Amino acid sequence: MKWDSTPAKSRPSLADALASITPALVKTEAGRPDHRVLRRALYSWAYNKKAREQEPRKEWREALDWVKKQSISVTDLEDPLVLRKALHALSTTLDGKPAAARTARRKKVCFNQTLTYAAESKLFSTLNNPLDTLSWKPPRTSEEVDPESVANPRQVRELLRMVREQGRRGETLEAFFGCMYHAAMRPSEVKNLRVQQCHLPEKGWGTLTLRNGLVRVGKEWTDDGTAHDQRSRKWRAPNESRPVPIPPVFVQMLRKHITAHGTAKDGRVFQTLRGGVVQESGYGEVWAEARKKALSQADQESLLAKRPYDLRHAGISFWLSSGVDPAECARRAGHSLAVMFQIYAKVLAQSQGRANKRIEAALEEWGGSIEA
């Protein structure tokens, strides 16, 4: 499909979706190869343009020969019953269990894109995507932030202190995690933060001007053969920037970090001890250890700050609960206002009491409430 125009980060997802669906769209089960071998052959070779520059392994070739021979015609996908087989496959794991709701939705989106491309290529009897006529609801999933996962400022301070106390490795990550909380940055944005994007005055508020993120994809999926891919922010044009003000306490933390640890050769503020890109597995270990030391046993077993990403939720939730205009919160977080209300609905609901008191106080200033 549209490999060259598809971001490297999206290519594995598309391959995964198609590798889940293809084995279900066959004429017969007779002679079917091991399902894991077939899945791996489809994902790692058949649906990877770069991999196809080399010959596949012998066992993959045998599996691919079988699926090529037994696959149904593309035009058969106009049959609603066939489509339902594909949808069942993408919502089921290799072990036959229901897939996670978010996984099923992601794969359905990829499948829909594939069918749209097939329709545009005039492979169907009409130019319509056959999936548009099918009544099928993907598993429900909630995007809302659970307030139980949101740490308060005191808890965040203690967590960052426990990060810092884990030797040199922890010292290099304190400000890394601070970016997620104080600037509501996504991990990919933190990894790609350059010193040129940082305005860090000696006193007062500073600004981080965010642009692209740095995501780990795997060298087999990128055009240049590197493991990481620079990617523009979600739903934004390439190089579109997002200025995020940061408070004085965090300005000083970043200044201290840069002074103590310097920057990578390409200007990245955060790097491993060997100068590489900070990896999720590495900072995940440090965060897990910080939770053990900073939180009670009950909190450790809860959702509270379970993942480093929850720091972003905590930062945005703090802005909202502090009375910052949701539109400004959305702008700083890189969300649309609609997405902000959807994801932080429960957090916003907790602010209703404070809002009611403000309205009541304003009415009192004008001589009491308006009576019917």
Side-chain angles (χ1 to χ4, degrees):
M1 211 171 91
K2 304 176 182 179
W3 175 277
D4 294 333
S5 60
T6 300
K9 176 67 174 177
S10 301
R11 291 169 182 171
S13 296
L14 184 59
D16 184 37
L18 296 178
S20 300
I21 296 167
T22 302
L25 303 179
V26 293
K27 304 167 188 173
T28 178
E29 295 291 318
R32 174 186 282 273
D34 179 83
H35 63 288
R36 295 188 184 278
V37 173
L38 178 57
R39 177 73 167 269
R40 177 54 61 182
L42 290 167
Y43 174 79
S44 299
W45 192 86
Y47 294 126
N48 185 316
K49 181 180 177 181
K50 286 188 64 177
R52 294 199 302 273
E53 295 173 359
Q54 306 292 330
E55 285 297 313
R57 302 176 186 175
K58 182 177 182 296
E59 61 176 353
W60 289 3
R61 169 53 64 196
E62 293 173 352
L64 293 169
D65 286 343
W66 178 87
V67 78
K68 181 179 180 180
K69 181 179 179 181
Q70 301 300 338
S71 288
I72 61 174
S73 169
V74 173
T75 56
D76 290 336
L77 290 170
E78 294 184 274
D79 184 342
L81 294 180
V82 174
L83 280 181
R84 289 190 179 278
K85 286 179 64 177
L87 293 170
H88 176 75
L90 63 79
S91 58
T92 308
T93 67
L94 280 173
D95 298 327
K97 299 178 181 179
R102 184 170 296 183
T103 299
R105 284 179 174 272
R106 171 179 56 78
K107 290 183 178 182
K108 195 256 186 180
V109 169
C110 294
F111 184 42
N112 185 63
Q113 292 173 345
T114 304
L115 293 177
T116 297
Y117 183 74
E120 292 172 350
S121 301
K122 300 181 180 181
L123 298 179
F124 298 134
S125 59
T126 71
L127 293 178
N128 298 322
N129 182 335
L131 202 57
D132 293 341
T133 63
L134 192 68
S135 177
W136 184 82
K137 294 182 179 180
R140 292 184 178 181
T141 179
S142 175
E143 300 291 340
E144 293 182 2
V145 170
D146 191 330
E148 185 182 350
S149 69
V150 175
N152 61 44
R154 186 178 297 107
Q155 291 168 325
V156 171
R157 258 194 322 270
E158 185 63 14
L159 284 162
L160 293 185
R161 187 172 74 86
M162 290 299 106
V163 167
R164 184 176 66 248
E165 292 189 358
Q166 294 182 50
R168 186 158 178 237
R169 186 188 191 191
E171 291 172 359
T172 63
L173 288 172
E174 179 189 14
F176 181 93
F177 291 124
C179 284
M180 297 186 199
Y181 179 70
H182 291 290
M185 294 170 67
R186 299 176 178 90
S188 62
E189 294 173 328
V190 184
K191 293 178 184 179
N192 199 47
L193 182 66
R194 313 292 167 126
V195 69
Q196 299 91 336
Q197 299 170 251
C198 306
H199 172 60
L200 307 173
E202 292 185 6
K203 294 183 179 180
W205 283 67
T207 304
L208 301 182
T209 303
L210 308 182
R211 293 188 179 88
N212 297 332
L214 193 63
V215 293
R216 181 174 178 80
V217 181
K219 61 183 180 180
E220 63 271 22
W221 299 101
T222 59
D223 293 327
D224 58 7
T226 59
H228 294 83
D229 183 50
Q230 282 217 27
R231 186 182 185 187
S232 59
R233 297 180 298 110
K234 284 186 175 180
W235 319 116
R236 298 294 187 271
N239 297 319
E240 182 179 340
S241 62
R242 178 175 103 240
V244 181
I246 55 175
V249 63
F250 186 52
V251 171
Q252 296 307 314
M253 185 186 294
L254 273 176
R255 287 175 62 93
K256 181 180 177 181
H257 170 87
I258 293 172
T259 299
H261 306 291
T263 61
K265 293 180 180 179
D266 58 2
R268 281 178 292 109
V269 174
F270 301 103
Q271 57 183 318
T272 64
L273 297 179
R274 296 183 178 181
V277 177
V278 178
Q279 302 297 328
E280 183 176 354
S281 58
Y283 70 73
E285 290 175 0
V286 172
W287 185 251
E289 186 63 25
R291 286 187 83 248
K292 291 179 183 178
K293 295 181 178 180
L295 304 180
S296 66
Q297 186 63 38
D299 284 339
Q300 290 178 44
E301 296 173 359
S302 73
L303 295 176
L304 181 65
K306 193 80 172 179
R307 311 163 302 159
Y309 200 96
D310 290 326
L311 284 169
R312 170 174 156 86
H313 294 321
I316 296 172
S317 298
F318 179 65
W319 294 343
L320 291 168
S321 64
S322 298
V324 179
D325 182 1
E328 175 61 12
C329 290
R331 188 202 65 76
R332 296 187 183 198
H335 280 313
S336 68
L337 190 56
V339 169
M340 174 65 68
F341 281 119
Q342 176 186 347
I343 295 179
Y344 293 93
K346 293 178 181 177
V347 175
L348 286 164
Q350 292 181 332
S351 302
Q352 288 181 356
R354 285 187 292 275
N356 292 344
K357 289 180 181 179
R358 289 172 186 162
I359 294 171
E360 187 174 0
L363 288 170
E364 290 296 331
E365 288 181 10
W366 287 89
S369 59
I370 300 174
E371 296 181 358

